[in-house]
Amino acid sequence: MLQLPHRLENWFERRSAVLAQPRAAFYAALLVPLLCALQALLLGQDDGWDMRNYHLYNPYALLNGRLAIDMSPAGFQTYFNPLLDLPYYLLTLYAPAPLAGAVFGALHGLNFIPLAGIARLLLPGRQRVALLLALTGCLGAGFLSELGNCMGDNLTSLLVLSSLYMVLRRCASVARAPALGIGALLLAGLLMGAAAGLKPTNVNYAVALCLALLLWPLPFWRRIAQAWWFGVGVLAGMAATAGYWWLTMWQLFGNPLFPQFNNLFASPLAAPLGVLDAGHLPRNPGEALLWPFIFTRDIARIAEVPLRQLIWPLVFVLIVAAALHALWCWWKAVGGRVASPASTSSTSGAAHGLLAARVLLVFFVLGYLIWLKLFSIYRYLVPLELLAPLLVWLLLHRLFSAGVARRLAGWSLLLCAFYTLPFVSWGHGGWSASAFRAEVPSFARPESTVVYMVRTPMAWLTRFFQPQVAFLAIGSGFPESAAYVQRLQARAAARTAPPYVMLPAAVNIREAGAQRKLALARSLGLTASPAACARLDGWLRRVRFQVEVQPLAAAQGEACTLVLQAQFHVDLAAQDAALENEVQGQLARYGLLLDAASCVRYPAFVGTEPHPYRLCRVMALNR
């Protein structure tokens, strides 16, 4: 029995030997993005909460001048930089939905290329291991959960990793070029700054890499100069991808990051708050110290979906062990017991590899600590999650002999990869030719019509209405100020047509599944005759699948259909009425009253998933 692990290791080494071939890296760089595109197709149409809230609305608003018409229909996320969302919006607008999903899956898969490049730099002559570690990085829970969707973390991580690769690539040539060239520093900073401008949650990686540059074996002021030029590149990259938007926010609201960090910029149109999504932070220093163990045990602390991962406790333990080991070696060196490792090989190739490993470690640790302080939201960790398997390999080889470290790394990373399965995502639906569909009414006077938004995520629906209609959000998560409410009321008063409120319509999520099962049964001819229906009923009595056979009259063309079982029925009218009562109190705070009798239900779909909504008339309370 003890020989089984050795046999499995030998079998795997034989099967993966092809990765050591000279052209293997090239073919892997082609194959992994294609596999990611295929996986994105298998997952289906992106149907995430954030997508329906602002990832579609923001580029639509940018291209159609909605800032002068609407007020925060997507909550405070309405005012995020829309540039990152523009490619997905345009793809889904002009191309078949599956093509958009495949393209984004392939783009996300490109992370493998700089990741493999970094691994090959740190493991020279070990291409097989480097490619396997890069592939393992792409099997992380956070990366897989966003594969093919439009949330942006998997896309900006490509810029972060490329910037890191450019810096680490120069470590191997330290003997030939003691300092990084200004051009290389500016380009690396430009890539990192572009990532931070597109998605400000990447700013921690820009700061981390800038500080890591201070490790370079140079005189103090030359280290400062390297960090300076990198910082200049970062600022240029941020200006290129976010400068226009920040200037627009400054001109319109007096806060380039509106409405966040308004405690610093004091825009009158928002409450004086800082980071608006701080509910995921550790509650005390003890939690912060042991955070990887805490969020692994209760992932709901940092993610809205039940991600499964083990890599972070492993990385935490190894970093602490490596730190203690380094202190022990330093203490022995200071005591004269052994020579300092740095002094014995400072000019060797190993020293260059050690420098690259140190830069990577410092970047990783600082990036994590800043993330912990500012955000503590799991999906913002994607760049570090991609690097985590490589760091595990390096740290284990620092702590153990090569043979022991290889075995420990292989089995522990295999366990981490399998533990993520089956991985979860942020929401997907079935494919349809058009990614988004909705029926909307045609208003007689759209230029005078207001639709109030009281729930998120519904902003994705606004693109289907007449462009003159104004969408004004009240109580939808935006940090309102008195001046904000006054401006909202002034915009509403300027429009004289009857106002409406948009509400989500209740839907039985199991109904879509029942329809798919009915379509399958029809395609197999199992609803065409009484005999076929009896056979279908017999199968379903053994395996229920939440549906049951219902006979039909012969005049209907089929002998039977499938309906949900009684215990899965939902009283949609009661749910709609409960929401109306809840919204009545919310509208009353703004002097409005909902006319429940006027509500009309309209169908809307993301892919094949139904997201119906209702429009209801509202009136002033004093009428």
Side-chain angles (χ1 to χ4, degrees), residues 157-175:
S157 61
L158 182 60
L159 297 171
V160 173
L161 293 178
S162 297
S163 175
L164 178 62
Y165 171 75
M166 290 196 64
V167 170
L168 295 181
R169 185 180 62 176
R170 302 292 293 180
C171 294
S173 60
V174 137

Side-chain angles (χ1 to χ4, degrees), residues 55 84 108 146 149-157 199 202:
H55 286 301
L84 180 61
H108 295 167
E146 296 192 36
N149 78 12
C150 62
M151 295 179 76
D153 302 290
N154 285 4
L155 205 55
T156 55
S157 61
K199 197 171 179 70
N202 290 306

Side-chain angles (χ1 to χ4, degrees), residues 486-509:
Q486 290 173 3
R487 177 174 290 190
L488 182 144
Q489 291 174 335
R491 285 194 181 181
R495 292 175 172 253
T496 57
Y500 294 82
V501 64
M502 181 186 290
L503 302 176
V507 62
N508 188 345
I509 59 174

Side-chain angles (χ1 to χ4, degrees), residues 71 450 452 472-474 480-495 587-592:
M71 291 187 68
V450 165
Y452 290 104
L472 310 181
I474 52 178
E480 298 176 0
S481 65
Y484 173 91
V485 175
Q486 290 173 3
R487 177 174 290 190
L488 182 144
Q489 291 174 335
R491 285 194 181 181
R495 292 175 172 253
L587 292 171
R589 295 197 297 270
Y590 298 85
L592 300 170

Side-chain angles (χ1 to χ4, degrees), residues 536-548 565:
L536 177 61
D537 184 57
W539 291 341
L540 291 177
R541 288 182 185 277
R542 290 192 291 271
V543 184
R544 277 294 180 178
F545 290 122
Q546 301 179 349
V547 293
E548 60 187 6
Q565 295 174 347

Side-chain angles (χ1 to χ4, degrees), residues 219-239:
F220 175 75
W221 288 111
R222 295 190 68 184
R223 300 184 192 194
I224 296 297
Q226 286 200 151
W228 165 266
W229 286 113
F230 177 80
V232 169
V234 168
L235 294 177
M238 294 175 72

Side-chain angles (χ1 to χ4, degrees), residues 431-496:
W431 290 113
S432 61
S434 179
F436 311 104
R437 293 167 289 136
E439 290 185 15
V440 298
S442 179
F443 296 110
R445 292 189 292 151
E447 72 284 352
S448 299
T449 300
V450 165
V451 175
Y452 290 104
M453 310 282 285
V454 295
R455 284 293 184 274
T456 53
M458 301 189 72
W460 70 281
L461 291 164
T462 61
R463 60 186 275 197
F464 297 102
F465 285 78
Q466 293 154 290
Q468 301 90 343
V469 177
F471 293 87
L472 310 181
I474 52 178
S476 62
F478 183 88
E480 298 176 0
S481 65
Y484 173 91
V485 175
Q486 290 173 3
R487 177 174 290 190
L488 182 144
Q489 291 174 335
R491 285 194 181 181
R495 292 175 172 253
T496 57

